[in-house]
Amino acid sequence: MDAVIMAGGKGSRMGIAEKMFLQINGEKIIDAIIKILQNQNFNISLCISENTKFLDGYHSLRTIMGEGNYASDLNYAIKMCSLPVLIVPSDVIIPPDMINDFIKRTSSLDTAIATLIVNNKLSGISMFFRKPETGNLPYKNIEILRDDFFNLNYPDDYKKALQRFEK
């Protein structure tokens, strides 16, 4: 199965484009994501842009060059992959079992897109079963509560993650 790590943003809310290199317990966030996806045998691609050209060739993963606009980069990345395709942001701290649970829960859904909602907030993690076309695709949300998931949009998000994980 294909997976795309979305890593083309400017990181303007965090103040750094390299936020995927922030570390939790001595490991870069993006490396943790890659390890989780590799352990589940995904074919991984990185969707980057001029903002994150430093990721080109990272860990010898396939690179999909986007424009730096999330919506258009997402559509383009999905078109470049086989379905179903898992979409994961490069700036999330995610426990390994959460991806596996999400995939299992999406397998019985009859929808074009399954979106993961964590603690009543969009996680940025989605499974696409159909390629984007004109118009809106039907979607279903899968909602979970976790204290070990963090989407790093702001510096305070990273501080909270550090407090949760650093010993």
Side-chain angles (χ1 to χ4, degrees), residues 36 40 42 94-106:
I36 290 166
Q40 297 186 24
F42 279 95
I94 183 165
D97 67 303
M98 201 165 118
I99 290 287
N100 195 35
D101 181 49
F102 176 64
I103 292 165
K104 283 180 186 174
R105 292 176 68 182
T106 64

Side-chain angles (χ1 to χ4, degrees), residues 132-145:
E133 299 156 355
T134 56
N136 293 326
L137 292 175
Y139 69 92
K140 292 187 178 170
N141 292 332
I142 293 177
E143 299 185 30
I144 61 170
L145 299 174

Side-chain angles (χ1 to χ4, degrees), residues 2-7 45-48 62-66 69-83 85-87 128 131-132:
D2 285 349
V4 176
I5 300 172
M6 299 298 292
S45 299
L46 279 175
C47 185
I48 65 171
R62 178 175 91 148
T63 300
I64 298 171
M65 182 57 79
N69 174 287
Y70 187 84
S72 63
D73 289 356
L74 175 67
N75 286 334
Y76 180 65
I78 293 166
K79 289 177 183 177
M80 300 293 294
C81 294
S82 298
L83 295 176
V85 59
L86 177 70
I87 304 298
F128 280 75
K131 301 223 182 220

Side-chain angles (χ1 to χ4, degrees), residues 9-80:
K10 294 179 184 176
S12 53
R13 293 176 289 184
M14 274 294 278
I16 55 168
E18 301 87 2
K19 64 182 177 174
M20 71 286 297
F21 288 160
L22 294 172
Q23 295 191 11
I24 295 291
N25 290 329
E27 184 175 37
K28 294 176 186 172
I29 294 166
I30 193 167
D31 291 343
I33 295 167
I34 291 168
K35 187 186 308 177
I36 290 166
L37 297 175
Q38 285 175 334
N39 287 340
Q40 297 186 24
N41 297 314
F42 279 95
N43 300 314
I44 307 167
S45 299
L46 279 175
C47 185
I48 65 171
S49 72
E50 288 296 322
N51 302 318
T52 55
K53 209 167 187 169
F54 56 86
L55 288 171
D56 193 11
Y58 192 72
H59 284 283
S60 300
L61 297 175
R62 178 175 91 148
T63 300
I64 298 171
M65 182 57 79
E67 302 170 357
N69 174 287
Y70 187 84
S72 63
D73 289 356
L74 175 67
N75 286 334
Y76 180 65
I78 293 166
K79 289 177 183 177
M80 300 293 294

